[in-house]
């Protein structure tokens, strides 16, 4: 069975602090995709990143970075120098390595960034 | 390119009433998903269509929920009769055909249902 666990329910930081959102997954598949989505107050899920299980290289995109470690089944997301606009619910998700496969989501982490 | 369209955005009904939600996916996207997101939880898949056929409806409460995608384009999700626990946001998503897919789903803004 596939499962995604986001142990942090809520995180509050002050602007310019760095923050890491944790994600641990379970799957019996040897190949799979991992995702992070952002859900701002408007409600629409916004795609942030997709990582194939073959590719364990860390990725950086501006203030965002992702650390994928197969050995610990983790796919953590770090925001550097957080901003108020980063306040949202962040979801980690998992899917099989097949086109058109549904995503399995974690429960989400609510990030609040205050000025 | 137009995104995934959903309507209505908000709906309030009494328990035991019925409600229907509509979704129009991105043009050319063969796969369509309905997710239920209860407050404070992650989205949960209700049903997945590939063109006009059902791929996965294992988590759809079939005694009260139904969905169709008759022409393989837009889709309707119906709840009848509604229960209090059906209060949630119903998200529609679509993804490109096999061979063009990256695994990424494109989501609509959702339809928020409140059952009183």
């Amino acid at each position: 069975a596939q499962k995604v666990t986001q142990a942090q329910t809520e995180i509050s930081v002050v602007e310019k602090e760095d923050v890491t959102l944790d994600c641990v997954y379970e799957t019996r598949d040897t190949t799979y995709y991992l995702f992070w989505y952002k859900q701002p107050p408007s409600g629409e899920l916004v795609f942030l990143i997709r990582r194939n299980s073959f590719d364990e290289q860390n990725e950086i995109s501006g203030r965002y970075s992702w650390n994928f470690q197969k050995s610990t089944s983790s796919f953590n997301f770090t925001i550097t120098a957080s901003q108020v606009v980063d306040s949202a619910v962040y979801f980690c998700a998992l899917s099989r390595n097949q086109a058109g496969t549904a995503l399995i989501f974690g429960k989400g982490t609510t990030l609040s960034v205050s000025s | 390119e137009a995104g995934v369209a959903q309507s209505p955005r908000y709906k309030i009904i009494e328990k035991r009433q019925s409600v229907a939600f509509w979704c129009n996916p991105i043009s050319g996207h063969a796969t369509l998903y309905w997710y239920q997101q209860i407050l404070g939880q992650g989205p949960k898949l209700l049903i997945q269509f590939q063109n006009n056929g059902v791929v996965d409806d294992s988590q759809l409460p079939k005694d009260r929920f139904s969905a169709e995608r008759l022409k393989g384009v837009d889709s309707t999700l119906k709840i009848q009769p509604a229960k209090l626990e059906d209060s949630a946001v119903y998200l529609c998503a679509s993804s490109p055909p096999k061979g063009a897919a990256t695994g990424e789903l494109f989501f609509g803004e959702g339809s928020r249902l409140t059952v009183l």
Side-chain angles (χ1 to χ4, degrees), chain A residues 35 37 39 50 91 99-100 103 106, chain B residues 33 35 37 42 48 101-103 105:
Chain A
F35 300 80
Y37 279 81
Q39 189 174 45
R50 173 185 63 93
F91 291 97
L103 300 182
Chain B
Y33 314 78
Y35 280 84
Q37 186 178 14
Q48 177 185 346
T102 61
L105 270 59

Side-chain angles (χ1 to χ4, degrees), chain B residues 16 20 30 38-39 48 53-54 63 73-74 86 91-92 99 101 107 109:
Chain B
R16 290 187 288 276
I38 293 173
L39 185 65
Q48 177 185 346
V54 175
D63 57 335
V73 180
D74 58 347
D86 298 331
L91 294 162
C92 181
F107 285 86
E109 292 183 312

Side-chain angles (χ1 to χ4, degrees), chain B residues 5-7 20-24 32-36 44-49 56 60 66-69 74-78 90-94 107 110-111:
Chain B
Q6 290 189 246
S7 67
F21 301 112
W22 174 82
C23 171
N24 193 24
L32 184 148
Y33 314 78
W34 282 102
Y35 280 84
Q36 179 193 56
K44 182 186 84 172
L45 179 71
L46 291 176
I47 189 167
Q48 177 185 346
F49 291 95
D56 182 357
L60 187 73
S66 65
E68 60 184 15
R69 193 185 184 198
D74 58 347
S75 175
T76 303
L77 175 70
K78 296 180 181 176
Y90 291 86
L91 294 162
C92 181
S94 67
F107 285 86
S111 294

Side-chain angles (χ1 to χ4, degrees), chain B residues 5-23:
Chain B
Q6 290 189 246
S7 67
R9 288 293 315 277
Y10 305 93
K11 189 73 176 179
I12 300 174
I13 62 173
E14 303 274 337
K15 60 182 179 184
R16 290 187 288 276
Q17 286 186 327
S18 62
V19 63
F21 301 112
W22 174 82
C23 171

Side-chain angles (χ1 to χ4, degrees), chain A residues 74-94:
Chain A
S74 65
F75 186 43
N76 296 336
F77 172 30
T78 298
I79 301 175
T80 303
S82 60
Q83 299 176 2
V84 173
V85 293
D86 295 326
S87 296
V89 183
Y90 290 87
F91 291 97
C92 181
L94 169 71

Side-chain angles (χ1 to χ4, degrees), chain A residues 60-73:
Chain A
I60 298 175
S61 176
R63 297 185 296 106
Y64 295 169
S65 63
W66 291 270
N67 183 341
F68 175 33
Q69 292 194 342
K70 257 178 130 168
S71 59
T72 57
S73 296

Side-chain angles (χ1 to χ4, degrees), chain B residues 79-100:
Chain B
I79 307 174
Q80 182 180 13
K83 291 186 174 181
L84 296 177
E85 59 260 37
D86 298 331
S87 294
V89 176
Y90 291 86
L91 294 162
C92 181
S94 67
S95 62
K98 291 185 178 183

